[in-house]
Amino acid sequence: MILYERRFPLKRQYFRIGMLSVILLVALRLSIGWHFLYEGVWKVDNSDTFSALPFLTLSKGPFAPIFYAMAPDLDGKLRLKAEGVDATWHEMKDVKVDVVPNKDIPEGVVPEVKSSYNLEEKSGTIAVYPAYYKEVEKIYHFAMSEYKPDENQKKELQVAWGKYVLAEKAAVEADAEGVSAYLEALKRFEDAKNAGNNGPEQMKRLWADMLKLRREAADFLSVQESLAKSFRNQLYTIFEEQQKVQPLPEFVVATDLLPFGLNLPFVGKSWTNFLNFAVTWALTLIGACLVLGFCTRLAAIGGGCFLISVLMTQPPWPAIFPPVHPEVGHALVVDKNFVEMVAIFMLATLPVGRWGGLDFFVWHWLGKPIFTSLGWYVEEEA
């Protein structure tokens, strides 16, 4: 039985495929499509916790540097570079707190607390991490200019900014010795990595050192993230809803900003958010297209390219450390990702979307008439 036959002017191509083969190929398309679709949907449902960075930063093998470069300032060298900046801030002085005496408070009523204070303006050159400090400063000036604070709100805003400046200054001073030691250890690690000794023990030691250094950097950077987000959250409590004509800018550390000042829908200004969005929706759309049999060849090629990237991050090759965990299985050169990649590329060579898919209608209503008019398709009798 000839289920599909077509002729091109320069080259004849025949597909003689039995019904059982068609059924199994459609089943293969649906299986791979469901795998991709569920991966994408899970990431959509867990968008608040999902991050593509571990996928990139735990790469191993010869392609690892390519994926490490996709993570913004992975080792923190730029973010932990302290510089002096000329800052102006306000500190509270002459603070007075008045509480209504207990005897005058009815039972069950929270006592009224009244406080008053004056602000003292201060300025000077302080050491900060500019990658964080300057982005928080932009949010402060945005709130000061766009939300039109009254006198009390302005004082509260200045107090919040002053607390952030002093906390940032204290954090940089407290971190100075530890960051210096970290950067020296990072330099020794990079020298050892570039020395060319690729023995098993050395690879094991380098991997352990890399993870240790990343944990140290994360400890320093988490303090900065916390200070920035805490300041931004304080601003939400200062202003009334009607004053918030537009939301406060999202805090994005300078090294994570998209190039050219881009501010994209759904991802904002963050390169990390862009990666998460791209991975999530690429998987979802590829899976949906394969399941529906719509634009199947294009979806299969996209899925195959994604699997190539997966194989490049975790190649199942001998002598690469760390080896795949035994619970995942045992593989040499060919693993389950490689098999799925070959299968999905094979689907891209066949018209599987026209067999029980929406591509049947796309082909007969759109593709076939266009190709026939161009002389690229001639239907032959069986």
Side-chain angles (χ1 to χ4, degrees), residues 304-315:
C305 292
F306 176 80
L307 288 169
I308 288 176
S309 70
V310 173
L311 287 167
M312 290 172 67
T313 63
Q314 306 290 330

Side-chain angles (χ1 to χ4, degrees), residues 83-92 120-130 132-141 156-174 223-224 226-232 234-235:
E83 293 181 8
V85 299
D86 294 330
T88 300
W89 69 97
H90 292 79
E91 294 183 20
M92 299 169 61
E120 180 179 3
E121 183 177 299
K122 294 195 173 183
S123 62
T125 301
I126 61 173
V128 300
Y129 295 132
Y132 290 90
Y133 177 87
K134 291 185 177 179
E135 295 306 312
V136 176
E137 187 178 33
K138 290 178 184 177
I139 297 175
Y140 167 65
H141 289 304
E156 291 183 57
L157 187 55
Q158 290 172 330
V159 168
W161 172 246
K163 289 180 179 178
Y164 171 77
V165 171
L166 294 177
E168 170 73 1
K169 177 176 178 290
V172 173
E173 292 174 351
V223 175
Q224 294 299 309
S226 177
L227 290 177
K229 292 179 179 178
S230 176
F231 171 76
R232 189 172 179 275
Q234 284 183 57
L235 301 195

Side-chain angles (χ1 to χ4, degrees), residues 33 35-41 43 50 277-289 303 306-307 310:
H35 180 206
F36 273 79
L37 179 60
Y38 184 76
E39 282 282 354
V41 169
K43 290 173 174 57
F50 166 71
F277 181 87
V279 170
T280 297
W281 288 103
L283 290 172
T284 304
L285 293 176
I286 288 170
C289 286
F306 176 80
L307 288 169
V310 173

Side-chain angles (χ1 to χ4, degrees), residues 69-99:
M70 295 182 187
D73 190 32
L74 179 58
D75 52 24
K77 284 193 291 187
L78 296 177
R79 285 174 289 174
L80 291 172
K81 184 179 180 181
E83 293 181 8
V85 299
D86 294 330
T88 300
W89 69 97
H90 292 79
E91 294 183 20
M92 299 169 61
K93 70 172 188 175
D94 303 326
V95 180
K96 296 180 181 179
V97 179
D98 296 321
V99 181

Side-chain angles (χ1 to χ4, degrees), residues 21-43:
S21 298
V22 170
I23 293 172
L24 291 175
L25 285 169
V26 171
L28 180 62
R29 186 199 84 204
L30 293 172
S31 300
I32 296 177
W34 179 255
H35 180 206
F36 273 79
L37 179 60
Y38 184 76
E39 282 282 354
V41 169
W42 184 91
K43 290 173 174 57

Side-chain angles (χ1 to χ4, degrees), residues 3-4 17 21-22 25-26 29 350-357 360:
L3 295 178
Y4 178 76
I17 302 176
S21 298
V22 170
L25 285 169
V26 171
R29 186 199 84 204
L350 296 170
V352 288
R354 303 181 207 172
W355 305 331
F360 174 86

